[in-house]
Amino acid sequence: MRNPLLEPFDLAPFSKLKTAHFKPAFEAALDKARVEIDAITSNPEPPTFENTIAALDYAGYELERIASIFFNLNSAETNSEIQNLAQEISPMLAAFANDITLNEPLFKRVQRVYETTDNTGLSEEQHMLLTKKYRNFQRNGALLSDSAKEELRAIDKSLSKLKLTFGEHVLAETQKFKLHLTDPADLSGLPESAREGARSLAEAEGIEGWLFTLDYPSYLPFMKYSTRRELRKKMAIAFGSRAFHKDTLDNREVLKEIASLRFQRARLLGYANHAEFVLEERMAKTPQAVQVFLQDLLEKALPAARREIEELKNYALNTDGVTTFEKWDSSFYSEKLKKETFDLEESELKPYFELISVLEGMFRIAGDLFGLHFEKDPSIETYHEEVAGFRVRDAADNFTAIFYADFHPRPGKRAGAWMTSYKPQFQREGKNERPHISIVCNFTRPTQNTPSLLTFNEVTTLFHEFGHALHGMLADSTYPSLSGTSVYWDFVELPSQMMENWCYEPEALALFAKHYQTGEVIPEKLVERIRASANFLEGIATVRQLSFGMLDMAWHSGDPSAVSDVKAFETEAFGETRLLPEHPEICMSTSFSHIFQGGYSAGYYSYKWAEVLDADAFSYFREKGIFDREVADKFKEFILSKGGTEDPMDLYIKFRGRKPDPQALLERAGLADTKS
């Protein structure tokens, strides 16, 4: 059987791929990568930047390509066969990573270059690569004793499998729950789009009536509009209790073991805890700095959040006689109060946000700002018929990137939205290899009667992920490990959150917010209401995000081995951020994939940290004009193209002319003058 992964390819050869191809491809690529590492280690020439540091960064390229295809499929188009294989492959990759960082002769060569190279002879990017390579060895066990190295290997092998298990459980729990309704009265309050979507889901299952799931396009409209409080409660508890049922999909022991192994690993490496280890390589630098940052924002947001929650409680009491305001009431009464306050309803906006129109408008904005052109290309192979491939070119018509877009939920696709890469950008032997970038979302599906109409929140999500994609597509570095989104985790959200700002600007909305039936541009009065409502219940939203960051830090800034009750630990961590009653059957930690499966452990604060950067950065555009090419060129040059080649604060100062001012975020959020 010919293996397409072992033949030369540029675009991922999805149409030729079978699951059986992956393991032999990984084994062959691992063998080749080991040969490349051995060649560096056994080089008789004295170690130099080129023959050791640069060579190490380029080593294992084929392995990286295969891994990117496999693990992206495991997130976006998985099945039990792929999941089982992932459990087998992940320990192999963890062992190989250990083989590199625990390779003593290799480390000695890296150390020799680090200690003897005259940095004046290196470019800024080369100096950054040298520093990162040395610190990567240092931070991942190169200086440990032989017995400690073996302990580290065992920890990393276990973690590689446990994180996969955590995600598999969350996906299975999300897919398992279905609310099947047959009485039209139970649809009370739901807009026609939500009913039609539920009818389509039921038809797909071959059953009568309406089907609602925990996928966001189904779950969120139900929670916002259903007048059936008991059904909202049922949905909310199902969503909030994922992997928290004392069954084979329960994640309590899984996450406790992940947190404990991370702590053990950090202590083994000489750090007080996992957060201290992680934050050494972040803008924030220390757990204490993160705690101060979160607490400072909480002090400013909490008074507003408490006032807002009281306003919601009173509104629910006066409207429907609700005496005990619960989690499943928040979205419903928030939407009703928003409608009354601003004469604005989500369902009123959706006809103006047809997915294809929004996508084309987003491409137009990227063209106006950064000179990019997107052309859909059916010849680009994809992993599912719903995925679209685009060729991206710059203003001079140079090929820039491949862009994949995958928009709708389906079985085998995890929840949420994310950006990823199938090929990194880098330069070698005079050739600039351009990246292959993908965004994956879970947006409202088209139905028999309507195209895919987005909520405004889905619009901002699309722009958010597209900001990450721009960071990948516009990369222009020499070395792959410094390219694109390979930056400090609390800096990586700047481009994504920055792009969301254009969703609120009339000049930008006019490019894509057009009624799907009439073509009418969104009326000015609706734009004014969107802008006026941008800070609606911002205190509650801010406290919610801060609570997630605090929960993350609680799990990772101490020793979690003593935690016996996950729910009790979580309840204590939420502490002063709690605005609504706790419920024993709801636990967030067991489905908190960002920190237990993804890369946000000790890093969830990054979303708020980056908001400070993006609010300040966008204020620069406001000063000059939201489509000002001079500011856009600076953002492209110093933020989007540089990747991790320089310290992020230095890059920000080069773009903005100064350090970020937190006041811009407080003013945008309406929290600048909040008093207790």
Side-chain angles (χ1 to χ4, degrees):
M1 179 176 65
R2 295 180 64 181
N3 192 326
L5 294 171
L6 296 178
E7 297 175 358
F9 67 89
D10 185 42
L11 291 169
F14 292 115
S15 68
K16 305 179 187 70
L17 278 181
K18 299 185 185 305
T19 305
H21 289 137
F22 280 109
K23 188 176 180 182
F26 271 112
E27 290 171 339
L30 280 164
D31 287 343
K32 182 176 181 182
R34 290 188 184 100
V35 169
E36 292 170 341
I37 296 299
D38 288 345
I40 298 169
T41 306
S42 60
N43 190 334
E45 298 294 322
T48 65
F49 177 87
E50 286 299 330
N51 72 20
T52 301
I53 306 302
L56 184 57
D57 208 53
Y58 292 123
Y61 173 68
E62 288 84 357
L63 178 63
E64 181 181 346
R65 292 296 313 274
I66 293 167
S68 70
I69 294 170
F70 177 74
F71 286 103
N72 285 329
L73 288 177
N74 192 40
S75 292
E77 190 64 18
T78 194
N79 54 49
S80 59
E81 194 179 0
I82 290 176
Q83 290 176 351
N84 290 336
L85 186 57
Q87 289 283 357
E88 190 176 350
I89 295 298
S90 291
M92 292 166 57
L93 297 181
F96 175 68
N98 288 144
D99 288 343
I100 294 176
T101 54
L102 302 179
N103 182 325
E104 191 170 346
L106 180 60
F107 174 60
K108 285 183 176 178
R109 288 186 68 91
V110 171
Q111 188 176 35
R112 178 74 184 276
V113 178
Y114 182 76
E115 292 176 348
T116 61
T117 298
D118 178 4
N119 289 334
T120 59
L122 299 179
S123 69
E124 200 158 15
E125 181 177 359
Q126 289 172 327
H127 176 63
M128 179 63 79
L129 184 67
L130 174 57
T131 301
K132 284 192 172 183
K133 288 296 180 192
Y134 175 74
R135 290 181 68 174
N136 183 57
F137 277 87
Q138 186 185 49
R139 282 167 47 81
N140 286 284
L143 300 177
L144 294 177
S145 66
D146 288 345
S147 62
K149 286 178 179 178
E150 289 308 306
E151 187 179 349
L152 185 73
R153 285 180 180 275
I155 289 172
D156 288 345
K157 179 179 180 180
S158 295
L159 281 171
S160 71
K161 300 181 74 170
L162 285 165
K163 289 189 289 184
L164 284 172
T165 299
F166 185 95
E168 289 165 7
H169 287 180
V170 175
L171 177 62
E173 285 276 85
T174 303
Q175 299 288 343
K176 184 171 69 172
F177 177 85
K178 293 178 175 63
L179 178 66
H180 181 208
L181 302 179
T182 55
D183 185 349
D186 285 335
L187 304 178
S188 175
L190 294 174
E192 182 55 37
S193 59
R195 298 178 185 217
E196 193 175 350
R199 190 182 302 114
S200 295
L201 287 175
E203 288 174 356
E205 297 262 341
I207 57 178
E208 296 294 323
W210 300 266
L211 203 60
F212 295 89
T213 72
L214 300 182
D215 288 322
Y216 283 129
S218 181
Y219 176 76
L220 294 178
F222 195 92
M223 298 306 294
K224 284 185 176 183
Y225 297 112
S226 173
T227 63
R228 294 294 191 259
R229 192 172 187 232
E230 282 305 307
L231 293 178
R232 293 203 310 270
K233 176 180 178 179
K234 188 174 184 178
M235 289 284 280
I237 290 177
F239 189 87
S241 63
R242 287 175 298 164
F244 189 62
H245 296 297
K246 294 183 179 178
D247 58 11
T248 57
L249 297 177
D250 194 296
N251 265 340
R252 272 172 284 198
E253 293 304 317
V254 177
L255 74 87
K256 282 162 61 177
E257 193 168 357
I258 290 172
S260 293
L261 286 172
R262 285 171 172 169
F263 176 76
Q264 292 172 34
R265 189 182 196 279
R267 293 302 294 265
L268 189 65
L269 293 167
Y271 297 86
N273 50 60
H274 180 68
E276 185 177 279
F277 169 78
V278 168
L279 292 166
E280 184 180 54
E281 295 284 282
R282 301 289 189 268
M283 293 179 77
K285 300 301 182 188
T286 67
Q288 293 75 22
V290 172
Q291 300 285 11
V292 168
F293 171 74
L294 294 173
Q295 194 63 39
D296 184 55
L297 268 182
L298 183 63
E299 288 175 6
K300 294 177 172 65
L302 195 55
R306 286 173 173 161
R307 284 197 302 270
E308 291 164 2
I309 208 72
E310 286 305 312
E311 184 180 7
L312 278 179
K313 288 179 179 179
N314 290 332
Y315 179 73
L317 177 64
N318 296 331
T319 303
D320 293 325
V322 175
T323 55
T324 304
F325 194 82
E326 301 281 6
K327 294 177 183 289
W328 43 87
D329 297 318
S330 183
S331 293
F332 179 72
Y333 287 104
S334 295
E335 192 63 28
K336 285 174 71 75
L337 183 57
K338 185 177 181 180
K339 167 70 174 172
E340 279 194 20
T341 305
F342 302 102
D343 190 23
L344 184 67
E345 192 171 6
E346 190 176 85
S347 58
E348 186 180 6
L349 297 176
K350 287 183 71 173
Y352 293 96
F353 296 125
E354 194 268 316
L355 173 58
I356 300 303
S357 180
V358 176
L359 188 65
E360 291 173 350
M362 189 173 70
F363 290 163
R364 169 82 180 275
I365 290 169
D368 290 346
L369 289 170
F370 308 118
L372 297 179
H373 302 279
F374 293 76
E375 183 177 347
K376 191 172 183 179
D377 185 348
S379 71
I380 295 173
E381 295 182 28
T382 63
Y383 53 87
H384 192 277
E385 61 184 9
E386 292 181 339
V387 182
F390 298 83
R391 293 189 184 273
V392 188
R393 309 189 78 81
D394 65 15
D397 203 34
N398 297 308
F399 173 67
T400 300
I402 295 294
F403 175 63
Y404 300 92
D406 181 359
F407 289 128
H408 303 298
R410 57 182 177 266
K413 182 179 183 181
R414 68 177 171 90
W418 63 94
M419 165 267 179
T420 188
S421 168
Y422 285 97
K423 178 187 175 184
Q425 177 274 329
F426 61 94
Q427 298 178 46
R428 194 176 191 186
E429 298 176 353
K431 184 178 180 182
N432 191 334
E433 297 284 350
R434 300 309 305 166
H436 300 175
I437 304 299
S438 174
I439 61 173
V440 187
C441 306
N442 282 276
F443 294 152
T444 307
R445 279 188 170 281
T447 66
Q448 291 180 344
N449 301 318
T450 58
S452 176
L453 302 178
L454 305 185
T455 65
F456 187 70
N457 183 64
E458 287 177 327
V459 173
T460 59
T461 296
L462 177 55
F463 272 72
H464 179 102
E465 298 308 330
F466 189 64
H468 283 310
L470 289 171
H471 204 180
M473 289 187 286
L474 290 171
D476 194 21
S477 306
T478 302
Y479 305 104
S481 71
L482 300 180
S483 181
T485 57
S486 299
V487 300
Y488 282 178
W489 216 250
D490 45 10
F491 191 65
V492 78
E493 295 296 333
L494 169 57
S496 56
Q497 293 182 180
M498 179 74 162
M499 286 304 298
E500 292 183 40
N501 289 285
W502 275 267
C503 299
Y504 296 89
E505 297 297 321
E507 192 178 348
L509 285 167
L511 299 176
F512 64 84
K514 300 173 182 178
H515 198 285
Y516 78 100
Q517 291 173 316
T518 67
E520 173 199 19
V521 173
I522 190 169
E524 187 177 337
K525 65 178 183 178
L526 284 183
V527 176
E528 290 171 355
R529 293 171 193 166
I530 290 173
R531 290 165 64 87
S533 66
N535 291 336
F536 181 61
L537 303 183
E538 180 63 30
I540 293 175
T542 298
V543 169
R544 180 175 180 269
Q545 282 293 96
L546 294 175
S547 74
F548 297 164
M550 290 175 171
L551 177 62
D552 172 30
M553 293 302 292
W555 278 115
H556 293 115
S557 59
D559 181 358
S561 61
V563 176
S564 58
D565 188 326
V566 169
K567 172 64 176 179
F569 181 83
E570 174 178 298
T571 300
E572 183 179 353
F574 281 147
E576 61 185 318
T577 66
R578 188 180 305 108
L579 300 172
L580 293 171
E582 282 289 329
H583 290 274
E585 62 268 64
I586 289 177
C587 182
M588 181 186 176
S589 295
T590 55
S591 60
F592 200 173
S593 297
H594 274 76
I595 68 169
F596 290 116
Q597 179 192 10
Y600 282 85
S601 62
Y604 198 87
Y605 76 92
S606 301
Y607 286 103
K608 276 297 170 190
W609 184 280
E611 275 191 52
V612 172
L613 302 178
D614 101 74
D616 185 66
F618 193 67
S619 69
Y620 193 14
F621 275 96
R622 283 194 177 281
E623 292 169 16
K624 304 290 186 179
I626 67 165
F627 287 108
D628 185 86
R629 284 303 292 267
E630 182 180 352
V631 179
D633 285 346
K634 290 176 70 175
F635 192 73
K636 177 181 176 181
E637 179 181 0
F638 297 118
I639 306 297
L640 296 177
S641 70
K642 291 293 187 186
T645 60
E646 298 179 39
D647 182 273
M649 187 58 76
D650 292 342
L651 290 173
Y652 189 87
I653 292 170
K654 287 179 180 180
F655 159 67
R656 191 69 172 91
R658 57 165 174 75
K659 289 186 176 181
D661 181 2
Q663 190 68 16
L665 171 61
L666 297 175
E667 290 175 356
R668 185 176 73 181
L671 301 173
D673 299 313
T674 296
K675 304 294 182 186
S676 300

